[in-house]
Amino acid sequence: MIITHRHIDEKFEYDGSQINPSWAFQEFGIYGSSVITWIGPVNIVPDNLKDFADVGLEIKSNYMVNFICEFFDQQPPNMRIAYLRQRLLVMIFREILTEYGVPSKREGDDIFVDGGKLSISIASISLSSAKIHFALNLEDKGTPDDVDTIGLYDIKIDGKQVFNEDNLLELINETVKRFIDELKTIENDISKTKVL
């Protein structure tokens, strides 16, 4: 499976509509499976909520790194595989945090650092594709009052800021690269394994 990654330099809001099928093609002319990343605020309007458990809740932040993944390799798309890939992306990011010396905790698809919620995520399917949205706070600003949150820029080790504008793009690209490589490795393993 070929997966295209494109980081968009333009800052724009994630409002939940980007989880719709073929968004990468409609907005950027990208065919096939893709991972689109960008930095911008998140403010999911009620009509675009996909998780029944989130109905009535505020999902917002002033400043986040957004990942939108879309896959066309399963026809019909499979919700279970979409969620397994979502968890894989989350765990790969946690692995990278560990390499930076940042301890974290995972609860389902949520990552916590120092008790603060760092990430949000959802997976779903359409008739033609599987979609994942994964986003990480950059700062603890503009998030819901009833949720303790933390941003990447808020994380410090021995008083020193771990992430900043100088290494953020490297963090994004490394996360996507490992995710795509892992999916390719799975495809390769499938192709060389003798069935029982």
Side-chain angles (χ1 to χ4, degrees):
M1 170 175 50
I2 297 172
I3 305 171
T4 301
H5 173 220
R6 183 178 297 179
H7 181 75
I8 309 300
D9 291 327
E10 174 192 353
K11 289 180 171 56
F12 58 93
E13 181 179 86
Y14 178 82
D15 62 10
S17 64
Q18 295 86 355
I19 200 81
N20 290 335
S22 298
W23 173 76
F25 172 70
Q26 293 170 10
E27 290 295 318
F28 307 109
I30 296 173
Y31 286 88
S33 299
S34 64
V35 180
I36 308 299
T37 55
W38 77 97
I39 296 165
V42 167
N43 188 18
I44 303 176
V45 299
D47 288 348
N48 287 333
L49 283 172
K50 303 301 184 226
D51 191 331
F52 292 126
D54 291 335
V55 173
L57 300 178
E58 289 184 308
I59 302 177
K60 61 180 184 174
S61 179
N62 286 357
Y63 203 30
M64 298 191 89
V65 178
N66 293 277
F67 298 73
I68 281 282
C69 312
E70 184 165 26
F71 305 103
F72 293 92
D73 60 316
Q74 297 282 322
Q75 297 299 326
N78 185 305
M79 183 81 85
R80 188 176 303 277
I81 291 175
Y83 267 101
L84 288 170
R85 287 176 175 176
Q86 177 212 42
R87 293 295 203 280
L88 180 63
L89 176 57
V90 169
M91 287 189 275
I92 285 171
F93 185 77
R94 271 198 76 208
E95 179 180 76
I96 294 172
L97 283 180
T98 300
E99 291 169 11
Y100 275 90
V102 178
S104 64
K105 180 181 178 183
R106 180 179 67 88
E107 294 180 8
D109 56 18
D110 293 325
I111 298 173
F112 295 83
V113 174
D114 292 332
K117 192 169 187 286
L118 179 66
S119 67
I120 60 171
S121 189
I122 187 67
S124 193
I125 59 170
S126 70
L127 292 176
S128 61
S129 66
K131 297 289 297 266
I132 298 167
H133 176 240
F134 176 55
L136 301 151
N137 288 314
L138 287 179
E139 297 175 341
D140 178 23
K141 294 181 179 177
T143 56
D145 294 334
D146 59 343
V147 180
D148 290 330
T149 57
I150 191 170
L152 287 171
Y153 292 170
D154 302 318
I155 298 171
K156 295 181 179 179
I157 296 178
D158 297 328
K160 185 177 179 182
Q161 186 178 7
V162 178
F163 302 107
N164 53 52
E165 290 184 359
D166 293 333
N167 63 12
L168 182 61
L169 188 56
E170 177 186 332
L171 177 68
I172 294 168
N173 288 335
E174 181 63 20
T175 302
V176 175
K177 177 184 181 300
R178 291 193 194 186
F179 181 53
I180 291 174
D181 286 350
E182 199 71 42
L183 294 175
K184 286 181 178 177
T185 300
I186 291 170
E187 291 294 313
N188 290 339
D189 286 347
I190 290 170
S191 70
K192 69 180 181 61
T193 302
K194 184 177 180 180
V195 296
L196 300 177

